[in-house]
Amino acid sequence: MTAPSHRPATKLRARRRVMTAVLGAGAALALAACTGVTYAQTPVPTPPTTTASSPKPATPPTCTNATQTFDPLPSIPASSAITDRKTRDIIERGHLIVGVSADSYLLGARNPFTGAIEGFDIDMAKAMAQSLLGDGNKVQLRVITAADRLPLLEDGSVDMVARNMTMTCDRWEKINFSAEYYHSGQKVLVTRSSKAQTLEDLDGKRVCAPVDTTTLAKLASVKGPIPVTASNHTGCLVLFQQGKADAITGDDTVLAGLAAQDPYAKVTKAPAITDEPYGLGFNKKDVYLTKYASTLLDELKSDGTWKKIYDKWFAGPLGPTRPPS
């Protein structure tokens, strides 16, 4: 017997599915027409933003006053109470490493009779060692050039620089400065027979200044003089004495030391052409040590120690002065 055929039932079920789909689609279209909604254009929800929980870092303030530094500590703490890691490393090491000059007479220069490096900046370094370590002789003086100052602070080769370094906003981007410890100004050194007083008077003359200094930058900005460079001011003095430079420009403190070494040289009486605030230099990360130095300077100025150090080195050639505020 032939098996019954199921095709008619299958066709019926198929027609019912088609009718259901048509009716369903019609209902959906009718609902869309009633509500005015177009489903294909329904926006996909977006995840909430995280701006509030992840704010952008604040832009660092612009430097407008190079002598403005960190607030000092309330007072000089006992060494045993200091917890700052960098400062503790110095205390545990037993000596302070300071970058200095050894050829800037009156500021930092080697005494030909004793071999010791001495001067105003050296006494500043010793005062820091005395305060931090209880002994002013617990300081390792590392002789550096002006060009060495920033790189050696940045790579941590020295703890501090005491080398007549002018505080500037550009330098603040790379290192820290203590409070101002001396206020100098750029002047000119010439031969005793010269009538020149200012850089402008040296039109067509060779004027020496050390490389990588604010002194050289100022010299280059003046029309007339021909800049000549050396690695330091002692090098400029050699060129001056050899007749390869007609004049030297630099801070009055430096020029006073050069004039004291050359009886045929003089520092002109013209007013300083720049303001040169000196600061003790520190690595950018060493904020606590910077604050410590500023606190110490405040004490040296208030108890008369700063004036004693100044009078010892500069009162003779430069006359009396007050400590910088």
Side-chain angles (χ1 to χ4, degrees):
M1 179 179 290
T2 305
S5 173
H6 298 287
R7 288 180 181 176
T10 301
K11 289 182 178 179
L12 178 60
R13 285 195 295 271
R15 283 197 295 269
R16 286 175 179 173
R17 286 197 296 269
V18 170
M19 289 298 294
T20 301
V22 170
L23 290 173
L29 289 172
L31 180 61
C34 292
T35 60
V37 177
T38 304
Y39 288 92
Q41 296 179 357
T42 302
V44 178
T46 57
T49 62
T50 57
T51 302
S53 60
S54 303
K56 293 181 179 180
T59 302
T62 302
C63 174
T64 56
N65 179 5
T67 62
Q68 184 173 335
T69 185
F70 305 102
D71 291 334
L73 303 174
S75 61
I76 294 293
S79 294
S80 59
I82 295 174
T83 59
D84 175 70
R85 186 65 263 167
K86 168 66 177 185
T87 312
R88 285 236 59 85
D89 286 344
I90 295 171
I91 294 171
E92 292 166 9
R93 182 205 300 149
H95 63 270
L96 183 70
I97 304 173
V98 185
V100 300
S101 172
D103 52 27
S104 298
Y105 188 59
L106 304 181
L107 280 166
R110 196 175 298 279
N111 186 313
F113 300 103
T114 66
I117 302 173
E118 57 188 26
F120 183 85
D121 281 344
I122 308 307
D123 283 356
M124 289 291 115
K126 288 183 175 181
M128 184 73 167
Q130 177 67 45
S131 177
L132 195 59
L133 302 166
D135 186 344
N137 292 317
K138 289 185 176 181
V139 56
Q140 182 184 102
L141 302 176
R142 179 167 175 178
V143 178
I144 63 175
T145 67
D148 290 333
R149 294 176 298 191
L150 269 62
L152 294 183
L153 282 173
E154 290 181 284
D155 68 16
S157 296
V158 297
D159 303 317
M160 182 177 93
V161 164
R163 195 188 188 286
N164 59 301
M165 181 161 53
T166 300
M167 305 167 76
T168 69
C169 285
D170 286 343
R171 286 173 176 167
W172 261 108
E173 293 181 0
K174 298 180 179 180
I175 64 169
N176 288 341
F177 282 107
S178 69
E180 182 181 356
Y181 75 95
Y182 188 84
H183 196 90
S184 183
Q186 185 174 343
K187 291 191 174 185
V188 180
L189 177 146
V190 294
T191 61
R192 288 194 173 275
S193 60
S194 174
K195 295 182 180 179
Q197 289 291 317
T198 66
L199 286 176
E200 288 79 3
D201 295 336
L202 294 165
D203 186 15
K205 301 295 184 180
R206 299 159 299 176
V207 181
C208 189
V211 295
D212 294 328
T213 61
T214 55
T215 299
L216 180 60
K218 180 62 178 179
L219 171 61
S221 71
V222 177
K223 184 178 180 180
I226 302 170
V228 175
T229 61
S231 61
N232 50 46
H233 273 101
T234 299
C236 282
L237 182 61
V238 171
L239 295 178
F240 178 79
Q241 292 173 335
Q242 291 176 342
K244 296 178 181 179
D246 302 299
I248 303 172
T249 185
D251 297 352
D252 56 0
T253 50
V254 176
L255 298 186
L258 296 183
Q261 300 173 73
D262 189 332
Y264 300 103
K266 66 177 182 180
V267 180
T268 68
K269 300 297 184 181
I273 58 177
T274 63
D275 287 308
E276 306 293 338
Y278 293 169
L280 300 173
F282 297 89
N283 183 279
K284 197 72 175 172
K285 296 179 182 179
D286 298 339
V287 174
Y288 182 89
L289 194 59
T290 307
K291 290 184 174 184
Y292 187 102
S294 295
T295 309
L296 174 61
L297 288 171
D298 285 345
E299 289 194 1
L300 297 179
K301 295 170 187 176
S302 62
D303 67 10
T305 302
W306 186 95
K307 186 177 184 302
K308 290 179 181 178
I309 295 174
Y310 173 85
D311 288 347
K312 176 182 176 182
W313 299 106
F314 292 129
L318 296 178
T321 191
R322 296 179 180 179
S325 58

